């Protein structure tokens, strides 16, 4: 299972996903401190900084570059820690 998070904060959902054996592919957090934490613990994932500019094309390009085009074949869970 693959995981992506929006409004990620410092990665609570990302950590829980990792505990469940899911791979974190994507996070989106506008706060610089939160982004620093996310980049530290999940360096392979794509970290975007503004949900208003996050598009499928951006996600597809970045995840294909990191994980190959097969990333789209996997089940993906999207979580959101809305403020």
């Amino acid at each position: 299972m693959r995981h992506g998070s929006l409004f990620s904060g410092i990665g609570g959902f990302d950590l829980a996903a990792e505990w469940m054996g899911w791979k974190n592919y994507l996070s989106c957090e506008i706060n610089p401190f939160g982004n620093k934490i996310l980049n530290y613990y999940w360096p392979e994932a794509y970290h975007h900084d503004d949900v208003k500019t996050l598009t499928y094309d951006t996600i597809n390009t970045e995840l294909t570059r990191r994980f190959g085009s097969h990333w789209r074949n996997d089940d993906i869970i999207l979580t959101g820690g809305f403020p």
Side-chain angles (χ1 to χ4, degrees), residues 7-51:
F7 313 102
S8 304
I10 59 170
F13 285 122
D14 304 80
L15 182 59
E18 189 174 89
W19 288 346
M20 293 178 62
W22 300 351
K23 183 155 178 72
N24 290 302
Y25 269 21
L26 165 74
S27 71
C28 186
E29 174 57 44
I30 199 165
N31 181 283
F33 178 74
N35 260 324
K36 191 174 187 177
I37 299 297
L38 295 165
N39 277 294
Y40 179 81
Y41 285 104
W42 297 283
E44 294 177 1
Y46 171 55
H47 306 289
H48 195 78
D49 64 352
D50 189 351
V51 73

Side-chain angles (χ1 to χ4, degrees), residues 48-61:
H48 195 78
D49 64 352
D50 189 351
V51 73
K52 294 181 281 186
T53 62
L54 184 63
T55 65
Y56 177 78
D57 290 334
T58 302
I59 293 169
N60 185 44
T61 300

